[in-house]
Amino acid sequence: MVFDKLFRPDYMFLRFSDVTPEFCRKNDISALISDIDNTLVTYDDPEPTEEVLSWIRSLEAAGVKLAFVSNNEEARVLRFNSRLGFPAYPKSGKPGTKCIFAAMAELGADAAHTASLGDQLFTDVCGAKRAGLRMILVPPIKDKKTPFFRFKRALEYPFMKRYLRDARIEMNEWGI
């Protein structure tokens, strides 16, 4: 089914920190392209938390390269990345692939050894799949309650319900 090809994540975890150096090594992942908002921090966190910094350091120590590809505004993405200095692409237009491919090029990575990390089916998962990447999906940390986001989550719900059932993950663990 076309929907599964574009929207089914390869891996589903409860938190970004479940993506460990061991997981990356076991799955031959040497580069990770990550979303920021609701994946690593809430929209309210302007900079990486200590937990995010510790996780990043563990990945770096294991040789995993990191880049940020976000649909958020430039000022937000640059502030989040200011202490880190990773390749970062704001206003990326996900599910478009232009910034995903640019991030991979900047990292010197190829699709076979790169994974993407995010919290949304219609932007993060679809963009990663269109770029030929493996996709790691986490539930949103703190969802926005605007009508647009509520509508988008309602559209995601039937897919998420099936994916969670197939993965034998309890829906209440994901807040569904």
PDB file of all heavy atoms in Angstrom, residues 81-114:
ATOM      1  N   ASN A  81      20.692  25.289  17.961  1.00  0.00           N
ATOM      2  CA  ASN A  81      21.953  24.716  17.486  1.00  0.00           C
ATOM      3  C   ASN A  81      23.177  25.563  17.826  1.00  0.00           C
ATOM      4  O   ASN A  81      24.299  25.148  17.567  1.00  0.00           O
ATOM      5  CB  ASN A  81      21.861  24.502  15.969  1.00  0.00           C
ATOM      6  CG  ASN A  81      22.976  23.644  15.434  1.00  0.00           C
ATOM      7  OD1 ASN A  81      23.386  22.663  16.046  1.00  0.00           O
ATOM      8  ND2 ASN A  81      23.485  24.026  14.272  1.00  0.00           N
ATOM      9  N   SER A  82      23.001  26.724  18.418  1.00  0.00           N
ATOM     10  CA  SER A  82      24.111  27.677  18.590  1.00  0.00           C
ATOM     11  C   SER A  82      25.288  27.107  19.373  1.00  0.00           C
ATOM     12  O   SER A  82      26.436  27.358  19.027  1.00  0.00           O
ATOM     13  CB  SER A  82      23.615  28.971  19.237  1.00  0.00           C
ATOM     14  OG  SER A  82      23.146  28.722  20.546  1.00  0.00           O
ATOM     15  N   ARG A  83      25.043  26.328  20.397  1.00  0.00           N
ATOM     16  CA  ARG A  83      26.135  25.739  21.195  1.00  0.00           C
ATOM     17  C   ARG A  83      26.642  24.438  20.588  1.00  0.00           C
ATOM     18  O   ARG A  83      27.709  23.950  20.966  1.00  0.00           O
ATOM     19  CB  ARG A  83      25.670  25.477  22.618  1.00  0.00           C
ATOM     20  CG  ARG A  83      25.405  26.733  23.389  1.00  0.00           C
ATOM     21  CD  ARG A  83      24.962  26.515  24.823  1.00  0.00           C
ATOM     22  NE  ARG A  83      25.124  25.198  25.371  1.00  0.00           N
ATOM     23  CZ  ARG A  83      24.399  24.721  26.373  1.00  0.00           C
ATOM     24  NH1 ARG A  83      23.448  25.448  26.907  1.00  0.00           N
ATOM     25  NH2 ARG A  83      24.613  23.508  26.842  1.00  0.00           N
ATOM     26  N   LEU A  84      25.892  23.874  19.672  1.00  0.00           N
ATOM     27  CA  LEU A  84      26.234  22.563  19.130  1.00  0.00           C
ATOM     28  C   LEU A  84      27.038  22.647  17.840  1.00  0.00           C
ATOM     29  O   LEU A  84      27.986  21.889  17.646  1.00  0.00           O
ATOM     30  CB  LEU A  84      24.953  21.757  18.894  1.00  0.00           C
ATOM     31  CG  LEU A  84      24.091  21.528  20.135  1.00  0.00           C
ATOM     32  CD1 LEU A  84      22.743  20.930  19.743  1.00  0.00           C
ATOM     33  CD2 LEU A  84      24.812  20.639  21.122  1.00  0.00           C
ATOM     34  N   GLY A  85      26.614  23.514  16.939  1.00  0.00           N
ATOM     35  CA  GLY A  85      27.341  23.696  15.688  1.00  0.00           C
ATOM     36  C   GLY A  85      27.169  22.586  14.664  1.00  0.00           C
ATOM     37  O   GLY A  85      28.032  22.391  13.807  1.00  0.00           O
ATOM     38  N   PHE A  86      26.060  21.866  14.716  1.00  0.00           N
ATOM     39  CA  PHE A  86      25.812  20.819  13.729  1.00  0.00           C
ATOM     40  C   PHE A  86      25.206  21.426  12.471  1.00  0.00           C
ATOM     41  O   PHE A  86      24.653  22.525  12.506  1.00  0.00           O
ATOM     42  CB  PHE A  86      24.838  19.770  14.288  1.00  0.00           C
ATOM     43  CG  PHE A  86      25.397  18.960  15.412  1.00  0.00           C
ATOM     44  CD1 PHE A  86      24.844  19.038  16.681  1.00  0.00           C
ATOM     45  CD2 PHE A  86      26.486  18.123  15.220  1.00  0.00           C
ATOM     46  CE1 PHE A  86      25.350  18.297  17.733  1.00  0.00           C
ATOM     47  CE2 PHE A  86      27.009  17.380  16.260  1.00  0.00           C
ATOM     48  CZ  PHE A  86      26.439  17.463  17.517  1.00  0.00           C
ATOM     49  N   PRO A  87      25.269  20.714  11.365  1.00  0.00           N
ATOM     50  CA  PRO A  87      24.515  21.181  10.198  1.00  0.00           C
ATOM     51  C   PRO A  87      23.045  21.310  10.591  1.00  0.00           C
ATOM     52  O   PRO A  87      22.492  20.414  11.235  1.00  0.00           O
ATOM     53  CB  PRO A  87      24.715  20.062   9.169  1.00  0.00           C
ATOM     54  CG  PRO A  87      26.002  19.390   9.577  1.00  0.00           C
ATOM     55  CD  PRO A  87      26.015  19.482  11.083  1.00  0.00           C
ATOM     56  N   ALA A  88      22.440  22.432  10.241  1.00  0.00           N
ATOM     57  CA  ALA A  88      21.054  22.673  10.640  1.00  0.00           C
ATOM     58  C   ALA A  88      20.312  23.363   9.507  1.00  0.00           C
ATOM     59  O   ALA A  88      20.813  24.323   8.925  1.00  0.00           O
ATOM     60  CB  ALA A  88      21.006  23.530  11.905  1.00  0.00           C
ATOM     61  N   TYR A  89      19.127  22.865   9.234  1.00  0.00           N
ATOM     62  CA  TYR A  89      18.318  23.349   8.118  1.00  0.00           C
ATOM     63  C   TYR A  89      16.932  23.739   8.615  1.00  0.00           C
ATOM     64  O   TYR A  89      16.086  22.875   8.823  1.00  0.00           O
ATOM     65  CB  TYR A  89      18.228  22.273   7.031  1.00  0.00           C
ATOM     66  CG  TYR A  89      19.578  21.981   6.437  1.00  0.00           C
ATOM     67  CD1 TYR A  89      20.451  21.090   7.049  1.00  0.00           C
ATOM     68  CD2 TYR A  89      19.999  22.631   5.290  1.00  0.00           C
ATOM     69  CE1 TYR A  89      21.713  20.845   6.530  1.00  0.00           C
ATOM     70  CE2 TYR A  89      21.252  22.391   4.758  1.00  0.00           C
ATOM     71  CZ  TYR A  89      22.102  21.502   5.386  1.00  0.00           C
ATOM     72  OH  TYR A  89      23.350  21.267   4.868  1.00  0.00           O
ATOM     73  N   PRO A  90      16.695  25.050   8.822  1.00  0.00           N
ATOM     74  CA  PRO A  90      15.363  25.511   9.214  1.00  0.00           C
ATOM     75  C   PRO A  90      14.460  25.633   7.995  1.00  0.00           C
ATOM     76  O   PRO A  90      14.916  25.560   6.852  1.00  0.00           O
ATOM     77  CB  PRO A  90      15.639  26.886   9.817  1.00  0.00           C
ATOM     78  CG  PRO A  90      16.874  27.355   9.119  1.00  0.00           C
ATOM     79  CD  PRO A  90      17.677  26.115   8.807  1.00  0.00           C
ATOM     80  N   LYS A  91      13.172  25.804   8.250  1.00  0.00           N
ATOM     81  CA  LYS A  91      12.188  25.979   7.174  1.00  0.00           C
ATOM     82  C   LYS A  91      12.452  24.985   6.047  1.00  0.00           C
ATOM     83  O   LYS A  91      12.522  25.345   4.876  1.00  0.00           O
ATOM     84  CB  LYS A  91      12.211  27.418   6.666  1.00  0.00           C
ATOM     85  CG  LYS A  91      11.799  28.422   7.746  1.00  0.00           C
ATOM     86  CD  LYS A  91      11.658  29.800   7.209  1.00  0.00           C
ATOM     87  CE  LYS A  91      10.371  29.840   6.463  1.00  0.00           C
ATOM     88  NZ  LYS A  91       9.602  31.021   6.528  1.00  0.00           N
ATOM     89  N   SER A  92      12.612  23.732   6.423  1.00  0.00           N
ATOM     90  CA  SER A  92      13.088  22.708   5.492  1.00  0.00           C
ATOM     91  C   SER A  92      12.056  22.254   4.474  1.00  0.00           C
ATOM     92  O   SER A  92      12.415  21.633   3.481  1.00  0.00           O
ATOM     93  CB  SER A  92      13.582  21.493   6.277  1.00  0.00           C
ATOM     94  OG  SER A  92      12.505  20.869   6.948  1.00  0.00           O
ATOM     95  N   GLY A  93      10.793  22.519   4.740  1.00  0.00           N
ATOM     96  CA  GLY A  93       9.767  22.103   3.798  1.00  0.00           C
ATOM     97  C   GLY A  93       9.484  20.611   3.810  1.00  0.00           C
ATOM     98  O   GLY A  93       9.004  20.070   2.818  1.00  0.00           O
ATOM     99  N   LYS A  94       9.797  19.918   4.931  1.00  0.00           N
ATOM    100  CA  LYS A  94       9.443  18.498   5.008  1.00  0.00           C
ATOM    101  C   LYS A  94       7.938  18.363   4.829  1.00  0.00           C
ATOM    102  O   LYS A  94       7.189  19.171   5.362  1.00  0.00           O
ATOM    103  CB  LYS A  94       9.842  17.905   6.374  1.00  0.00           C
ATOM    104  CG  LYS A  94      11.307  17.781   6.600  1.00  0.00           C
ATOM    105  CD  LYS A  94      11.630  17.147   7.947  1.00  0.00           C
ATOM    106  CE  LYS A  94      11.306  18.068   9.098  1.00  0.00           C
ATOM    107  NZ  LYS A  94      11.654  17.541  10.417  1.00  0.00           N
ATOM    108  N   PRO A  95       7.498  17.447   4.038  1.00  0.00           N
ATOM    109  CA  PRO A  95       8.147  16.213   3.621  1.00  0.00           C
ATOM    110  C   PRO A  95       9.016  16.325   2.368  1.00  0.00           C
ATOM    111  O   PRO A  95       9.423  15.307   1.817  1.00  0.00           O
ATOM    112  CB  PRO A  95       6.978  15.268   3.381  1.00  0.00           C
ATOM    113  CG  PRO A  95       5.889  16.152   2.908  1.00  0.00           C
ATOM    114  CD  PRO A  95       6.065  17.434   3.678  1.00  0.00           C
ATOM    115  N   GLY A  96       9.313  17.523   1.943  1.00  0.00           N
ATOM    116  CA  GLY A  96      10.275  17.677   0.857  1.00  0.00           C
ATOM    117  C   GLY A  96      11.624  17.126   1.279  1.00  0.00           C
ATOM    118  O   GLY A  96      11.934  17.020   2.465  1.00  0.00           O
ATOM    119  N   THR A  97      12.449  16.785   0.307  1.00  0.00           N
ATOM    120  CA  THR A  97      13.711  16.101   0.606  1.00  0.00           C
ATOM    121  C   THR A  97      14.956  16.961   0.399  1.00  0.00           C
ATOM    122  O   THR A  97      16.056  16.530   0.721  1.00  0.00           O
ATOM    123  CB  THR A  97      13.839  14.840  -0.266  1.00  0.00           C
ATOM    124  OG1 THR A  97      13.778  15.231  -1.638  1.00  0.00           O
ATOM    125  CG2 THR A  97      12.727  13.846   0.040  1.00  0.00           C
ATOM    126  N   LYS A  98      14.792  18.156  -0.133  1.00  0.00           N
ATOM    127  CA  LYS A  98      15.952  18.991  -0.464  1.00  0.00           C
ATOM    128  C   LYS A  98      16.894  19.171   0.728  1.00  0.00           C
ATOM    129  O   LYS A  98      18.108  18.966   0.613  1.00  0.00           O
ATOM    130  CB  LYS A  98      15.474  20.350  -0.983  1.00  0.00           C
ATOM    131  CG  LYS A  98      16.589  21.287  -1.365  1.00  0.00           C
ATOM    132  CD  LYS A  98      16.032  22.608  -1.870  1.00  0.00           C
ATOM    133  CE  LYS A  98      17.161  23.571  -2.187  1.00  0.00           C
ATOM    134  NZ  LYS A  98      16.638  24.873  -2.606  1.00  0.00           N
ATOM    135  N   CYS A  99      16.364  19.541   1.877  1.00  0.00           N
ATOM    136  CA  CYS A  99      17.209  19.786   3.053  1.00  0.00           C
ATOM    137  C   CYS A  99      17.733  18.487   3.653  1.00  0.00           C
ATOM    138  O   CYS A  99      18.827  18.464   4.221  1.00  0.00           O
ATOM    139  CB  CYS A  99      16.452  20.604   4.092  1.00  0.00           C
ATOM    140  SG  CYS A  99      16.167  22.313   3.557  1.00  0.00           S
ATOM    141  N   ILE A 100      16.984  17.414   3.517  1.00  0.00           N
ATOM    142  CA  ILE A 100      17.466  16.112   3.993  1.00  0.00           C
ATOM    143  C   ILE A 100      18.702  15.709   3.199  1.00  0.00           C
ATOM    144  O   ILE A 100      19.727  15.317   3.758  1.00  0.00           O
ATOM    145  CB  ILE A 100      16.356  15.043   3.890  1.00  0.00           C
ATOM    146  CG1 ILE A 100      15.216  15.386   4.858  1.00  0.00           C
ATOM    147  CG2 ILE A 100      16.909  13.647   4.154  1.00  0.00           C
ATOM    148  CD1 ILE A 100      13.964  14.539   4.679  1.00  0.00           C
ATOM    149  N   PHE A 101      18.626  15.842   1.868  1.00  0.00           N
ATOM    150  CA  PHE A 101      19.780  15.502   1.035  1.00  0.00           C
ATOM    151  C   PHE A 101      20.950  16.458   1.282  1.00  0.00           C
ATOM    152  O   PHE A 101      22.113  16.038   1.292  1.00  0.00           O
ATOM    153  CB  PHE A 101      19.402  15.480  -0.449  1.00  0.00           C
ATOM    154  CG  PHE A 101      18.600  14.273  -0.837  1.00  0.00           C
ATOM    155  CD1 PHE A 101      17.375  14.420  -1.471  1.00  0.00           C
ATOM    156  CD2 PHE A 101      19.047  12.984  -0.580  1.00  0.00           C
ATOM    157  CE1 PHE A 101      16.620  13.308  -1.837  1.00  0.00           C
ATOM    158  CE2 PHE A 101      18.311  11.871  -0.936  1.00  0.00           C
ATOM    159  CZ  PHE A 101      17.089  12.033  -1.565  1.00  0.00           C
ATOM    160  N   ALA A 102      20.658  17.731   1.509  1.00  0.00           N
ATOM    161  CA  ALA A 102      21.730  18.700   1.808  1.00  0.00           C
ATOM    162  C   ALA A 102      22.417  18.344   3.123  1.00  0.00           C
ATOM    163  O   ALA A 102      23.647  18.413   3.225  1.00  0.00           O
ATOM    164  CB  ALA A 102      21.153  20.114   1.863  1.00  0.00           C
ATOM    165  N   ALA A 103      21.650  17.951   4.124  1.00  0.00           N
ATOM    166  CA  ALA A 103      22.228  17.551   5.415  1.00  0.00           C
ATOM    167  C   ALA A 103      23.102  16.313   5.250  1.00  0.00           C
ATOM    168  O   ALA A 103      24.217  16.250   5.790  1.00  0.00           O
ATOM    169  CB  ALA A 103      21.120  17.295   6.432  1.00  0.00           C
ATOM    170  N   MET A 104      22.625  15.338   4.492  1.00  0.00           N
ATOM    171  CA  MET A 104      23.427  14.137   4.257  1.00  0.00           C
ATOM    172  C   MET A 104      24.725  14.489   3.543  1.00  0.00           C
ATOM    173  O   MET A 104      25.795  13.973   3.902  1.00  0.00           O
ATOM    174  CB  MET A 104      22.630  13.111   3.441  1.00  0.00           C
ATOM    175  CG  MET A 104      21.562  12.439   4.263  1.00  0.00           C
ATOM    176  SD  MET A 104      20.480  11.284   3.375  1.00  0.00           S
ATOM    177  CE  MET A 104      21.424  10.681   2.041  1.00  0.00           C
ATOM    178  N   ALA A 105      24.656  15.364   2.552  1.00  0.00           N
ATOM    179  CA  ALA A 105      25.868  15.770   1.826  1.00  0.00           C
ATOM    180  C   ALA A 105      26.842  16.463   2.767  1.00  0.00           C
ATOM    181  O   ALA A 105      28.050  16.187   2.736  1.00  0.00           O
ATOM    182  CB  ALA A 105      25.497  16.684   0.656  1.00  0.00           C
ATOM    183  N   GLU A 106      26.334  17.348   3.620  1.00  0.00           N
ATOM    184  CA  GLU A 106      27.205  18.064   4.559  1.00  0.00           C
ATOM    185  C   GLU A 106      27.848  17.108   5.561  1.00  0.00           C
ATOM    186  O   GLU A 106      28.981  17.316   5.995  1.00  0.00           O
ATOM    187  CB  GLU A 106      26.417  19.157   5.278  1.00  0.00           C
ATOM    188  CG  GLU A 106      27.302  20.132   6.009  1.00  0.00           C
ATOM    189  CD  GLU A 106      26.573  21.375   6.482  1.00  0.00           C
ATOM    190  OE1 GLU A 106      25.455  21.670   6.010  1.00  0.00           O
ATOM    191  OE2 GLU A 106      27.153  22.073   7.340  1.00  0.00           O
ATOM    192  N   LEU A 107      27.122  16.051   5.924  1.00  0.00           N
ATOM    193  CA  LEU A 107      27.672  15.056   6.847  1.00  0.00           C
ATOM    194  C   LEU A 107      28.581  14.053   6.143  1.00  0.00           C
ATOM    195  O   LEU A 107      29.286  13.286   6.799  1.00  0.00           O
ATOM    196  CB  LEU A 107      26.532  14.282   7.526  1.00  0.00           C
ATOM    197  CG  LEU A 107      25.648  15.047   8.491  1.00  0.00           C
ATOM    198  CD1 LEU A 107      24.487  14.176   8.953  1.00  0.00           C
ATOM    199  CD2 LEU A 107      26.450  15.564   9.680  1.00  0.00           C
ATOM    200  N   GLY A 108      28.549  14.031   4.813  1.00  0.00           N
ATOM    201  CA  GLY A 108      29.295  13.016   4.074  1.00  0.00           C
ATOM    202  C   GLY A 108      28.674  11.639   4.252  1.00  0.00           C
ATOM    203  O   GLY A 108      29.373  10.633   4.294  1.00  0.00           O
ATOM    204  N   ALA A 109      27.348  11.608   4.352  1.00  0.00           N
ATOM    205  CA  ALA A 109      26.627  10.366   4.634  1.00  0.00           C
ATOM    206  C   ALA A 109      25.847   9.906   3.406  1.00  0.00           C
ATOM    207  O   ALA A 109      25.532  10.697   2.530  1.00  0.00           O
ATOM    208  CB  ALA A 109      25.666  10.593   5.802  1.00  0.00           C
ATOM    209  N   ASP A 110      25.536   8.623   3.387  1.00  0.00           N
ATOM    210  CA  ASP A 110      24.678   8.090   2.328  1.00  0.00           C
ATOM    211  C   ASP A 110      23.421   7.517   2.953  1.00  0.00           C
ATOM    212  O   ASP A 110      23.352   7.282   4.162  1.00  0.00           O
ATOM    213  CB  ASP A 110      25.416   7.048   1.492  1.00  0.00           C
ATOM    214  CG  ASP A 110      25.837   5.818   2.281  1.00  0.00           C
ATOM    215  OD1 ASP A 110      25.415   5.648   3.444  1.00  0.00           O
ATOM    216  OD2 ASP A 110      26.586   5.003   1.732  1.00  0.00           O
ATOM    217  N   ALA A 111      22.417   7.287   2.125  1.00  0.00           N
ATOM    218  CA  ALA A 111      21.118   6.833   2.612  1.00  0.00           C
ATOM    219  C   ALA A 111      21.196   5.478   3.309  1.00  0.00           C
ATOM    220  O   ALA A 111      20.456   5.221   4.252  1.00  0.00           O
ATOM    221  CB  ALA A 111      20.104   6.786   1.468  1.00  0.00           C
ATOM    222  N   ALA A 112      22.098   4.626   2.874  1.00  0.00           N
ATOM    223  CA  ALA A 112      22.192   3.287   3.452  1.00  0.00           C
ATOM    224  C   ALA A 112      22.622   3.310   4.912  1.00  0.00           C
ATOM    225  O   ALA A 112      22.332   2.368   5.663  1.00  0.00           O
ATOM    226  CB  ALA A 112      23.160   2.435   2.639  1.00  0.00           C
ATOM    227  N   HIS A 113      23.318   4.369   5.326  1.00  0.00           N
ATOM    228  CA  HIS A 113      23.848   4.441   6.692  1.00  0.00           C
ATOM    229  C   HIS A 113      23.274   5.614   7.481  1.00  0.00           C
ATOM    230  O   HIS A 113      23.828   6.009   8.507  1.00  0.00           O
ATOM    231  CB  HIS A 113      25.371   4.533   6.647  1.00  0.00           C
ATOM    232  CG  HIS A 113      25.985   3.353   5.978  1.00  0.00           C
ATOM    233  ND1 HIS A 113      26.330   3.352   4.646  1.00  0.00           N
ATOM    234  CD2 HIS A 113      26.263   2.115   6.440  1.00  0.00           C
ATOM    235  CE1 HIS A 113      26.822   2.173   4.328  1.00  0.00           C
ATOM    236  NE2 HIS A 113      26.776   1.401   5.395  1.00  0.00           N
ATOM    237  N   THR A 114      22.175   6.171   6.988  1.00  0.00           N
ATOM    238  CA  THR A 114      21.556   7.329   7.631  1.00  0.00           C
ATOM    239  C   THR A 114      20.133   6.982   8.045  1.00  0.00           C
ATOM    240  O   THR A 114      19.422   6.291   7.321  1.00  0.00           O
ATOM    241  CB  THR A 114      21.522   8.531   6.664  1.00  0.00           C
ATOM    242  OG1 THR A 114      22.860   8.805   6.236  1.00  0.00           O
ATOM    243  CG2 THR A 114      20.955   9.765   7.341  1.00  0.00           C
TER     244      THR A 114
END
